[in-house]
Amino acid sequence: MEEILTLVTLNSFDAFQCDLKSLSPLHSDGNVIIAALFSLVNYYFMDIYDSRCEDEKAIEFKWRSYQFSLAFIFAIEEINRNTHILPNTSLGFELYNVINNHLDILQETLLFLTGMRINIPNYTCRRETKPAALLTGTSWETSIQIGRLLNLYKYPQITFGRFDTILSDRGQFSSLYQTAQRDIFLSHGIVILMVHFSWTWVGLVLIDDHNAAEILSNLRGEMDRNRVCVAFVEMIPFNWMNSDFKSRTMHPQILKSSANVVIIYDVTKSLYALIIYISIHSIAWKVWIIKSQWDVTTHVPYFIFDPFHGSLIFAQHHAEISDFRKFIQTYKPSKYPGDHILALLWNTYFNCSFSGPDCKILVNCLPNASLEMLPGNALEMDMSEESYNVYNSVYAVAHSLHEMTVEQVEIHHHSNGALNTYPWEVHPYLKNIHFKNGAEELMVLDSQRKFDAVYDIFNLWNFPDGLRQKIKVGTFSPNSPPGQELFLSDHMIQWGIRFAEVPRSVCSESCVPGFRKSPQEGKAACCYDCTRCPDNEISNETDMDHCVRCPESQYVNTEQNNCLQKAVTFLSYEDPLGKALTYLALGFSALTAGVLGIFVKYHHTPIVKANNQALSYILLITLIFCFLCPLLFIGHPNTATCILQQYTFAVLFTVAHSTVLAKTVTVVLAFKISMPGRLIRWIMISRATNLIIPVCTLIQLVLCGIWLSTSPPFIDSDAYTEHGHIIILCNKGSTLAFHSVLAYLCSMALGSYTMAYLSRNLPDTFNEAKFISFSMLVFFSVWVTFLPVYHSTKGKITVAMEVFSILASSAGLLGCIFVPKCHIILFRPHRNVLHHVRHKGHFKGKVNFAA
């Protein structure tokens, strides 16, 4: 990772004379040396700022890298105080400052190998012990350049930057080890954060390097699995430098995208130009999700409206090193006179007297001055993620040397425990080392045995005067149970000025319950329209892809977001329609009973005796039960009532129609036969016509028996006819059997009508032929009308139509046959005498009316 930090102009002559490149590296003596290469400062002539000041010089302090050097020295001193690690050995160090260019990196590496301030390849001029290992970082590019050189000499190299798969190639870099943990689950953690805040429309900004394809593939895979869509992908060229940024055209996607959340993955110097542009132009006040390698708290210029305020930062979790802050507070030029950069800081910020050529502090320093007092919180007091890796790298080397020392003592018992080895002999121990650092955390260097990283989530707060602070607001633990990986204190998060509440970043607004998502053609899955659910379907959650059909026992509410239980209903006695039909049935049955009473009372009169008095009684009694038959259709159906409905109706109407048929046959035999023979006379005297009733009824019973044995009526339900209700009704079972019963009844009605038609011209005083004809016409009209209505209606209306048809056809028989007779009996008694009948007769022969 490349860094750009605070530029400070050196106006004093003494400071101008301080040439860090010409001085020896910061070092400390010891039995064993550990070396490190850090990019701490740069300095150059400032003629670009003021053409009149040719001798003006500026120094570039890299605060984050400077903390690496402090962590490096802190770890060395902590190990030297620990009697359990290398007890008879003191660790020393050499710390080299490199400028981030290929020439300087290689030059400093060669200086490290030779041990002098001149480059002599393939030679070492060190009189004392060689350094056991070299620490490098944080850029993978820097580590590769150094690694290829050190690999020639099998010199141990430990990098403390982000874990990189290209550096774990043992074929190319057999002497290189990485301290950082792998970021295998970082993409998963970022997407889980998106899901937590319901951010489904996010942008990606990546460096177009060798890792870009893998990072993009991992992020897209996690997003697809969690239904998060990529609004745009901005690939920044790896060599996109700050110096020529102004000459480049800003990619419009970041500016114009509707995504309020943008992921900046792996910030490098190439992205720093973009970061400055964002800061200067305050781009759209977005929420930035940033990986921790970039020190956003100090590297970005301060603006009143900070576009990075409210950003969320992922950093690998590490234990707190409590003594590190105390170490920084006591790290002063008086204690570490060899740190020339520290002397420059004291001269720059605390106005101490300065010796130019040797870069040392003289006098006039504040007694309580410390790095903690630097303006703007320039130096972070807590150990950063990379500084923690530096700390662990030193411990890894120390533990490896300790293991090697113990092994040497076991082999050579006379040894005093002092190390006498070559650097390449440390490799087996570095590869297999696993140890606990000063914070009691277990560490390994082998890339195949590394633990999955746990991440801390920080929220960037911008305080007045540009004092940015990172506040820990949560953690991501990939090894936790599903659904518990992310812990976040939402109430602690401060969002950007634009957002008064949790920001929303969606392509389309959520579809509320009652609607479903309808994809927009040619766009991402997160872009959709909201469509109302079809009839009898609901969506009871937000952003449902499909609506769900309610069960048959439930129905959809008005908002179509819930299924309600349907009420069970049927043609009940409490129902207005059921109540009306009940009253009609009881009324007609009572009226029929009244007619029967009249006939019984006036049984001696000719009009009652005419056309077979017994058949009239049978017909009236049958009609009473026909009128009561509809009561079986009203009320809660059960198996018994379902069967009785159809069979009772069939048998009763068969009896009624066979009785009518018998009466018409009697009339024809009485009036049409002019010369009756013995057979006809026997039929008339013995009343053999009454046999029509049992014979016809027996045939109907056979039909009903077949119906009952093959497909009898049963209880059924109708959940669709009436909204919100389940109608309980009787299913006919076999529609063929039902229509066969109706056809049989119609055939008997047709026979009665035919016989009545043949006797239409007979004397009409007591002749029922015309009345029977009219009653059969009524029957035909009712049931012919019933069939199409029956097949076109559903639910309770179908039941009501059948009940009404039964009542109407029964009323037709009662009204057409018996009402005229009652009228004569009650209101025209003078016509109900035999003398009147004889004077009205128009026939030959003698007729027995009592027959």
Side-chain angles (χ1 to χ4, degrees), residues 736-752:
L736 177 62
F738 173 69
H739 288 88
S740 298
V741 168
L742 285 183
Y744 180 68
L745 291 176
C746 290
S747 65
M748 287 194 298
L750 180 61
S752 301

mmCIF file of all heavy atoms in Angstrom, residues 736-752:
data_model
loop_
_atom_site.group_PDB
_atom_site.id
_atom_site.type_symbol
_atom_site.label_atom_id
_atom_site.label_comp_id
_atom_site.label_asym_id
_atom_site.label_seq_id
_atom_site.Cartn_x
_atom_site.Cartn_y
_atom_site.Cartn_z
ATOM 1 N N LEU A 736 -75.944 -38.422 -13.997
ATOM 2 C CA LEU A 736 -76.739 -39.257 -14.907
ATOM 3 C C LEU A 736 -77.941 -39.848 -14.185
ATOM 4 O O LEU A 736 -79.068 -39.851 -14.722
ATOM 5 C CB LEU A 736 -75.855 -40.370 -15.478
ATOM 6 C CG LEU A 736 -76.561 -41.374 -16.395
ATOM 7 C CD1 LEU A 736 -77.115 -40.673 -17.629
ATOM 8 C CD2 LEU A 736 -75.602 -42.502 -16.792
ATOM 9 N N ALA A 737 -77.730 -40.315 -12.960
ATOM 10 C CA ALA A 737 -78.845 -40.883 -12.192
ATOM 11 C C ALA A 737 -79.871 -39.815 -11.869
ATOM 12 O O ALA A 737 -81.093 -40.060 -11.945
ATOM 13 C CB ALA A 737 -78.313 -41.526 -10.912
ATOM 14 N N PHE A 738 -79.401 -38.619 -11.514
ATOM 15 C CA PHE A 738 -80.333 -37.533 -11.196
ATOM 16 C C PHE A 738 -81.180 -37.180 -12.410
ATOM 17 O O PHE A 738 -82.401 -37.015 -12.310
ATOM 18 C CB PHE A 738 -79.536 -36.323 -10.704
ATOM 19 C CG PHE A 738 -80.368 -35.094 -10.493
ATOM 20 C CD1 PHE A 738 -81.296 -35.021 -9.462
ATOM 21 C CD2 PHE A 738 -80.230 -33.994 -11.336
ATOM 22 C CE1 PHE A 738 -82.065 -33.884 -9.256
ATOM 23 C CE2 PHE A 738 -80.992 -32.856 -11.142
ATOM 24 C CZ PHE A 738 -81.905 -32.798 -10.106
ATOM 25 N N HIS A 739 -80.533 -37.060 -13.573
ATOM 26 C CA HIS A 739 -81.294 -36.717 -14.770
ATOM 27 C C HIS A 739 -82.189 -37.872 -15.223
ATOM 28 O O HIS A 739 -83.245 -37.644 -15.832
ATOM 29 C CB HIS A 739 -80.337 -36.309 -15.888
ATOM 30 C CG HIS A 739 -79.696 -34.962 -15.670
ATOM 31 N ND1 HIS A 739 -78.531 -34.791 -14.959
ATOM 32 C CD2 HIS A 739 -80.090 -33.714 -16.043
ATOM 33 C CE1 HIS A 739 -78.215 -33.516 -14.927
ATOM 34 N NE2 HIS A 739 -79.151 -32.818 -15.575
ATOM 35 N N SER A 740 -81.792 -39.089 -14.905
ATOM 36 C CA SER A 740 -82.648 -40.245 -15.229
ATOM 37 C C SER A 740 -83.924 -40.209 -14.398
ATOM 38 O O SER A 740 -85.025 -40.501 -14.897
ATOM 39 C CB SER A 740 -81.887 -41.548 -14.971
ATOM 40 O OG SER A 740 -80.753 -41.645 -15.805
ATOM 41 N N VAL A 741 -83.797 -39.832 -13.114
ATOM 42 C CA VAL A 741 -84.970 -39.707 -12.250
ATOM 43 C C VAL A 741 -85.897 -38.628 -12.780
ATOM 44 O O VAL A 741 -87.135 -38.808 -12.857
ATOM 45 C CB VAL A 741 -84.534 -39.422 -10.810
ATOM 46 C CG1 VAL A 741 -85.732 -38.996 -9.954
ATOM 47 C CG2 VAL A 741 -83.858 -40.636 -10.209
ATOM 48 N N LEU A 742 -85.325 -37.479 -13.158
ATOM 49 C CA LEU A 742 -86.145 -36.405 -13.714
ATOM 50 C C LEU A 742 -86.800 -36.840 -15.026
ATOM 51 O O LEU A 742 -87.978 -36.527 -15.292
ATOM 52 C CB LEU A 742 -85.296 -35.155 -13.941
ATOM 53 C CG LEU A 742 -84.910 -34.334 -12.712
ATOM 54 C CD1 LEU A 742 -84.119 -33.093 -13.123
ATOM 55 C CD2 LEU A 742 -86.159 -33.894 -11.938
ATOM 56 N N ALA A 743 -86.047 -37.566 -15.835
ATOM 57 C CA ALA A 743 -86.605 -38.030 -17.109
ATOM 58 C C ALA A 743 -87.769 -39.000 -16.893
ATOM 59 O O ALA A 743 -88.778 -38.965 -17.614
ATOM 60 C CB ALA A 743 -85.491 -38.701 -17.932
ATOM 61 N N TYR A 744 -87.651 -39.846 -15.892
ATOM 62 C CA TYR A 744 -88.730 -40.784 -15.585
ATOM 63 C C TYR A 744 -89.978 -40.042 -15.124
ATOM 64 O O TYR A 744 -91.103 -40.368 -15.534
ATOM 65 C CB TYR A 744 -88.260 -41.773 -14.528
ATOM 66 C CG TYR A 744 -89.299 -42.784 -14.136
ATOM 67 C CD1 TYR A 744 -89.714 -43.767 -15.033
ATOM 68 C CD2 TYR A 744 -89.876 -42.754 -12.870
ATOM 69 C CE1 TYR A 744 -90.676 -44.696 -14.682
ATOM 70 C CE2 TYR A 744 -90.833 -43.681 -12.513
ATOM 71 C CZ TYR A 744 -91.238 -44.650 -13.417
ATOM 72 O OH TYR A 744 -92.195 -45.561 -13.069
ATOM 73 N N LEU A 745 -89.752 -39.015 -14.259
ATOM 74 C CA LEU A 745 -90.893 -38.208 -13.811
ATOM 75 C C LEU A 745 -91.544 -37.487 -14.984
ATOM 76 O O LEU A 745 -92.784 -37.403 -15.087
ATOM 77 C CB LEU A 745 -90.433 -37.208 -12.751
ATOM 78 C CG LEU A 745 -90.002 -37.782 -11.396
ATOM 79 C CD1 LEU A 745 -89.474 -36.675 -10.485
ATOM 80 C CD2 LEU A 745 -91.185 -38.478 -10.718
ATOM 81 N N CYS A 746 -90.732 -36.972 -15.890
ATOM 82 C CA CYS A 746 -91.279 -36.262 -17.048
ATOM 83 C C CYS A 746 -92.026 -37.215 -17.981
ATOM 84 O O CYS A 746 -93.041 -36.838 -18.602
ATOM 85 C CB CYS A 746 -90.162 -35.556 -17.802
ATOM 86 S SG CYS A 746 -89.462 -34.138 -16.918
ATOM 87 N N SER A 747 -91.545 -38.440 -18.066
ATOM 88 C CA SER A 747 -92.240 -39.414 -18.919
ATOM 89 C C SER A 747 -93.621 -39.733 -18.361
ATOM 90 O O SER A 747 -94.604 -39.858 -19.115
ATOM 91 C CB SER A 747 -91.401 -40.689 -19.041
ATOM 92 O OG SER A 747 -91.280 -41.341 -17.786
ATOM 93 N N MET A 748 -93.732 -39.862 -17.047
ATOM 94 C CA MET A 748 -95.050 -40.085 -16.440
ATOM 95 C C MET A 748 -95.937 -38.862 -16.614
ATOM 96 O O MET A 748 -97.152 -38.994 -16.868
ATOM 97 C CB MET A 748 -94.892 -40.425 -14.954
ATOM 98 C CG MET A 748 -94.355 -41.828 -14.709
ATOM 99 S SD MET A 748 -94.573 -42.344 -12.990
ATOM 100 C CE MET A 748 -93.592 -41.120 -12.180
ATOM 101 N N ALA A 749 -95.326 -37.668 -16.491
ATOM 102 C CA ALA A 749 -96.113 -36.451 -16.702
ATOM 103 C C ALA A 749 -96.589 -36.376 -18.141
ATOM 104 O O ALA A 749 -97.726 -35.958 -18.425
ATOM 105 C CB ALA A 749 -95.263 -35.229 -16.350
ATOM 106 N N LEU A 750 -95.740 -36.817 -19.069
ATOM 107 C CA LEU A 750 -96.121 -36.819 -20.473
ATOM 108 C C LEU A 750 -97.257 -37.812 -20.714
ATOM 109 O O LEU A 750 -98.214 -37.540 -21.470
ATOM 110 C CB LEU A 750 -94.915 -37.173 -21.342
ATOM 111 C CG LEU A 750 -95.163 -37.204 -22.856
ATOM 112 C CD1 LEU A 750 -95.605 -35.821 -23.348
ATOM 113 C CD2 LEU A 750 -93.903 -37.653 -23.594
ATOM 114 N N GLY A 751 -97.203 -38.975 -20.054
ATOM 115 C CA GLY A 751 -98.292 -39.941 -20.178
ATOM 116 C C GLY A 751 -99.593 -39.393 -19.634
ATOM 117 O O GLY A 751 -100.664 -39.554 -20.254
ATOM 118 N N SER A 752 -99.524 -38.736 -18.475
ATOM 119 C CA SER A 752 -100.731 -38.133 -17.891
ATOM 120 C C SER A 752 -101.287 -37.069 -18.808
ATOM 121 O O SER A 752 -102.518 -36.963 -19.003
ATOM 122 C CB SER A 752 -100.402 -37.544 -16.519
ATOM 123 O OG SER A 752 -99.915 -38.538 -15.639
#
